[in-house]
Amino acid sequence: MIIGITTTLNEADHFQRVNVEYISRIAETGAVPILITPIPGDPAANEQLADSVFPLLDGILFTGGGDVHPRHYMDATADHVREMLHPELCSENDPPRSPYGKPSRAAGAGSDCVHCPVDDALRRAVDNVPGQNGTAVLDGRDITTPASTANIPCLDGLLAVSDERDALELGLARRAFDEGMPTLGVCRGMQVMNVALGGTLYRDLRVCGITDVQHMQEKPYSDALEHAEVVPGTRLAAILEGHTQGRVNSIHHQGVNLVAAPLTVNAWSEDGIVEGVEAADHPFFLGVQWHPEYLAQHAFLFQALADACAARA
C-alpha cells in the first residue's frame, strides 16, 4: 500500500519539508510513505498534478503547516454572514455555492468572527495578502515565513500561504472524498478537508474573538496538555475503542468555523473549538486538529488509515 504525505514549503530557503514523525507513523503500519509536493507555477498546474498523482495512491495523509488562503472559503463565509444580517434577502431555495451542499455551524460551536465585515475592503484584503519575513511555528517546527500585515485584524498573521499547495491539496481532498479513498488530515490537513467540501475557517481563533485560550503550546509536543471530548457513536470514538475523552496536544491558531455539509464533528476542545471531523458515508475520511504524529499513544489513528487502505484494495 502507498500512502501519500503532503509537504510544507519553507519560504526562507525554498525547501519542501515534512516532519519525520509523519513518515515514521505511516512506515510503522507497513504502508509505503511517499511525499507529495506542489510544483512551481500557477494553481492550475497543481490541480493537474493532483489528477496525475491520485491514481498512484492507496491513501492520503494531509499534514499540518501553513494557512489555507481565505479566498477558498470567503464566499461561503460572506453568504453566512449575509444570511445572519439580512435573512429577508435569502431563500432556502438558493443553490449552495459548493456542490457538496451548504455548510453549517455545528451545535455548540462559537459565533462569527468579530472582524468579518462583508464588504469590498475585506475582499480586497483577501485577494492581496502582503507580508514580510518572520519566524513562526508551523506543524511543530520553527520556520521562516512571510507574516501578512493586513488592515483587517483577522487577516493579519496568516502563515505560509501557498497557492500551489492549496490547489494541490484541495484537488486531492475533493477527489479522495468523491472516490472513497481513505484520508487522514492533521491540523491544517483537517482544515483542508473541510474547506475542500465547502466549509470555512476562523482566520485566527483569538483575534476573531472565538476563544482566549492559547492553542499554540510550547515544546515538547509529545506533551498532551489539552482535553478533548470525543463524540460517542462516531468513527473516531470507535477507533478509540469507546473512550470518549482524552488528552491531546495543540499547535494551531486557526480552526473550523462552518462545517462542510458532508462532515460531522467527532471531537471538541474544552473551549468549544472543533477538534475533529469525519464523513459518515465514506470508507475513511477523518481529520483531527491535534498532532497525533507526536503522540505514541495515538499511533492507532495512522493504523486505522492503513487498515482502511487495505480494506479498499
Side-chain angles (χ1 to χ4, degrees):
M1 297 178 299
I2 296 176
I3 296 180
I5 304 174
T6 59
T7 64
T8 294
L9 172 67
N10 188 335
E11 297 277 359
D13 54 20
H14 297 285
F15 274 76
Q16 289 284 345
R17 65 162 184 85
V18 68
N19 293 1
V20 295
E21 289 87 353
Y22 290 117
I23 299 172
S24 297
R25 295 299 179 202
I26 294 300
E28 288 166 359
T29 70
V32 177
I34 67 170
L35 304 187
I36 307 173
T37 67
I39 57 176
D42 59 19
N46 283 280
E47 291 170 359
Q48 294 174 3
L49 177 61
D51 288 335
S52 298
V53 168
F54 186 85
L56 307 176
L57 307 175
D58 297 300
I60 302 176
L61 170 58
F62 289 110
T63 65
D67 298 337
V68 178
H69 199 296
R71 72 165 60 94
H72 296 294
Y73 55 86
M74 190 53 63
D75 284 343
T77 300
D79 287 347
H80 171 75
V81 174
R82 187 179 301 109
E83 185 174 304
M84 295 298 100
L85 295 176
H86 304 287
E88 73 280 0
L89 301 180
C90 303
S91 169
E92 293 183 357
N93 297 323
D94 292 339
R97 290 181 182 269
S98 169
Y100 300 100
K102 181 181 176 181
S104 61
R105 174 163 291 119
S111 60
D112 294 305
C113 172
V114 297
H115 298 293
C116 189
V118 182
D119 57 20
D120 290 340
L122 178 63
R123 293 185 183 278
R124 285 195 299 271
V126 165
D127 287 336
N128 181 24
V129 181
Q132 57 187 6
N133 285 338
T135 301
V137 175
L138 286 177
D139 202 22
R141 294 289 190 270
D142 292 334
I143 186 171
T144 302
T145 175
S148 66
T149 53
N151 59 2
I152 305 294
C154 61
L155 293 180
D156 188 28
L158 290 175
L159 302 177
V161 173
S162 168
D163 289 336
E164 290 83 5
R165 185 180 185 186
D166 287 349
L168 173 63
E169 294 188 2
L170 291 170
L172 284 172
R174 293 185 186 108
R175 189 159 176 185
F177 179 81
D178 292 342
E179 301 192 24
M181 177 175 286
T183 303
L184 175 64
V186 171
C187 199
R188 168 197 159 93
M190 181 191 81
Q191 297 168 9
V192 165
M193 294 161 68
N194 186 57
V195 171
L197 302 186
T200 73
L201 305 177
Y202 295 117
R203 269 92 41 218
D204 185 283
L205 291 169
R206 298 182 77 186
V207 177
C208 285
I210 307 306
T211 182
D212 291 329
V213 176
Q214 173 59 266
H215 284 277
M216 293 285 286
Q217 76 176 59
E218 300 293 333
K219 299 176 182 178
Y221 301 124
S222 56
D223 287 348
L225 302 179
E226 293 194 10
H227 173 84
E229 185 74 26
V230 178
V231 178
T234 60
R235 183 188 300 273
L236 180 60
I239 294 172
L240 287 168
E241 299 181 349
H243 297 290
T244 57
Q245 59 185 10
R247 307 294 295 184
V248 299
N249 53 12
S250 186
I251 319 168
H252 65 103
H253 76 109
Q254 297 195 316
V256 166
N257 180 4
L258 301 181
V259 180
L263 301 179
T264 57
V265 176
N266 57 24
W268 294 95
S269 69
E270 287 186 295
D271 56 333
I273 305 302
V274 173
E275 284 285 349
V277 296
E278 62 185 54
D281 299 323
H282 192 282
F284 191 93
F285 197 83
L286 185 148
V288 294
Q289 185 60 69
W290 69 89
H291 281 263
E293 74 277 14
Y294 291 116
L295 305 174
Q297 65 270 33
H298 287 191
F300 53 78
L301 280 171
F302 302 94
Q303 188 61 56
L305 171 64
D307 291 345
C309 294
R312 183 174 179 265

